[in-house]
Amino acid sequence: MGSRLVDRFCAMVRIDSESGDEARFIEVTKGQLEDELAATCVLDGHGNLIAKVPAKGADGAVPIFLAAHADTVKPGVGIEPVVEDGVIRSSGETILGADDKAGLAAIVEAVLTAKRRPPVEIVVTRGEEVGLVGARNLDLSLLSAKRGIIADSEALNEVIIGGPTHASVDVEILGKAAHAAEPGQGISAIRIAAHAITRFEEGKLDDETVANVGTIRGGMIRNGVPGRVTIEAECRSFDHGKCLEQAERMKAAFEAAAADVGATANVRVRIEYEASRTPEDSAIVRLTKKAIAAAGLEPATQVILGGTDALILSGRGLETAVIGVGGEAAHSTDERIAVADLEKVTEILRNLLEIAAAE
Ligand SMILES: [Zn+2]
């Protein structure tokens, strides 16, 4: 099954771009956008790409940005895509990279084929998979669009309009190391951690709040009382206040469990991003729903507990929504995408540009 869209996608995933290592992919993309779309391209100070494509048949239309992230998770080196029975997957022991190169391939193809379009700014961010760092550092002074779409989710009919506040909780428990034969000399940091973790709720706390203890590391030897433990935990909620309260409860539990036995817990709570929601009646959400409906799907708005670049950009004042690109099993070596889905997201984006040009 040969098509320019599939070829474009396959060429993109063949260029390695694990998080932190996206420079060559961005450089190649920049050259392509300059050649194919006559885009004016700049890299910002962080290495994110902003490609400005002039309007077509819609001078004076409100500019829009279309964004995708350049980086992939691991293992993402040496990806060899295979197209078989209408599905693209990777041949080897790697991910495919449809997250998010399907989004970018569809964006480029949609801009190229739209009969009319407003001024478009294609934004390709770095480091989405490692804490949304590209979007955090994106130089907004280089963008004129105040509203836009990120193509980086799964279901093709869904418009993601909001996300949670996310707090990281980093804990270091300092007990006292001793020989196991002389326990009276020591204070077990592992035991403090165990007590603390049972003192707060974990998992799904209510309809909009979750908490998790993700890692615990400590102890050196079997026959020693462990003197130090570190823990990485987190919580998220669509309600900013609830997230802060849960983070405080977790912090207090570690501090109290340590204090009970004369030890110390150093706890740092960090807000990774804040809950935001793009209004249902905003221009970008209305436009996106129309574009999905025009492609024959039933649009549905959603909020998700995961982090996306949209949360960062919304928090920085841009009206942003996320659409799906149809891939499955992202972040695994089973990752795949149907050619029909790649074509469908391209159609949705093309509709969006043509509808925006007509408004
Ligand atoms: Zn992604």
Side-chain angles (χ1 to χ4, degrees):
M1 191 171 312
S3 77
R4 187 174 63 189
L5 173 63
V6 172
D7 291 348
R8 183 186 302 286
F9 170 74
C10 290
M12 284 181 176
V13 302
R14 283 195 184 96
I15 303 173
D16 301 341
S17 62
E18 287 182 349
S19 304
D21 228 353
E22 312 93 335
R24 193 171 84 85
F25 176 74
I26 286 187
E27 205 49 52
V28 171
T29 302
K30 176 173 178 283
Q32 281 173 350
L33 298 181
E34 286 166 347
D35 290 349
E36 288 190 74
L37 293 169
T40 307
C41 293
V42 285
L43 299 188
D44 71 8
H46 188 71
N48 297 301
L49 171 63
I50 298 118
K52 294 184 183 242
V53 187
K56 182 168 149 190
D59 295 333
V62 182
I64 190 166
F65 71 83
L66 301 176
H69 61 90
D71 63 317
T72 73
V73 295
K74 295 171 195 262
V77 171
I79 295 169
E80 186 48 48
V82 176
V83 189
E84 204 173 67
D85 299 330
V87 175
I88 315 172
R89 55 183 83 238
S90 78
S91 70
E93 295 298 307
T94 66
I95 54 149
L96 174 63
D99 175 11
D100 188 22
K101 288 170 182 171
L104 184 57
I107 287 170
V108 176
E109 198 63 24
V111 174
L112 196 56
T113 55
K115 290 187 196 72
R116 300 175 66 196
R117 63 178 186 235
V120 179
E121 294 171 335
I122 300 175
V123 177
V124 186
T125 58
R126 297 183 53 203
E128 191 270 351
E129 302 284 6
V130 289
L132 315 174
V133 291
R136 286 178 205 279
N137 290 291
L138 181 65
D139 184 349
L140 296 188
S141 72
L142 300 172
L143 272 189
S144 50
K146 295 285 179 255
R147 63 184 204 194
I149 288 292
I150 296 177
D152 185 26
S153 179
E154 292 196 345
L156 289 164
N157 68 319
E158 282 179 7
V159 187
I160 295 168
I161 58 170
T165 294
H166 176 183
S168 293
V169 181
D170 287 299
V171 184
E172 177 190 44
I173 296 170
L174 296 173
K176 190 160 177 276
H179 194 288
E182 295 186 283
Q185 305 291 313
I187 303 172
S188 167
I190 288 179
R191 203 160 179 82
I192 295 168
H195 280 145
I197 290 167
T198 60
R199 290 188 192 177
F200 56 82
E201 277 187 281
E202 212 185 332
K204 185 173 177 181
L205 309 189
D206 61 36
D207 281 348
E208 50 185 5
T209 312
V210 294
N212 185 55
V213 176
T215 73
I216 175 162
R217 297 186 181 87
M220 304 281 283
I221 45 173
R222 183 198 303 274
N223 58 354
V225 176
R228 181 173 182 268
V229 163
T230 60
I231 291 157
E232 292 168 303
E234 64 157 52
C235 54
R236 303 164 187 240
S237 180
F238 293 127
D239 183 312
H240 181 70
K242 280 187 185 174
C243 181
L244 298 188
E245 283 164 23
Q246 174 65 13
E248 281 308 313
R249 278 195 291 272
M250 293 162 85
K251 180 173 189 279
F254 286 108
E255 289 170 345
D260 282 354
V261 291
T264 319
N266 299 315
V267 185
R268 190 182 61 158
V269 173
R270 190 176 64 225
I271 303 302
E272 300 293 342
Y273 41 80
E274 287 192 24
S276 74
R277 198 163 292 206
T278 303
E280 290 266 358
D281 61 355
S282 64
I284 198 65
V285 175
R286 280 191 293 107
L287 198 56
T288 308
K289 288 166 81 173
K290 276 189 203 168
I292 290 170
L297 301 175
E298 180 78 32
T301 53
Q302 292 278 351
V303 288
I304 59 164
L305 277 167
T308 66
D309 277 350
L311 278 174
I312 303 298
L313 298 182
S314 295
R316 298 182 68 193
L318 300 178
E319 199 176 73
T320 311
V322 184
I323 63 166
V325 300
E328 287 177 81
H331 296 203
S332 83
T333 54
D334 289 328
E335 187 185 9
R336 59 197 178 270
I337 188 167
V339 171
D341 287 354
L342 194 54
E343 287 168 350
K344 190 56 105 176
V345 64
T346 306
E347 181 186 344
I348 291 168
L349 287 163
R350 186 164 48 233
N351 293 343
L352 186 131
L353 293 175
E354 290 176 353
I355 295 167
E359 274 184 354

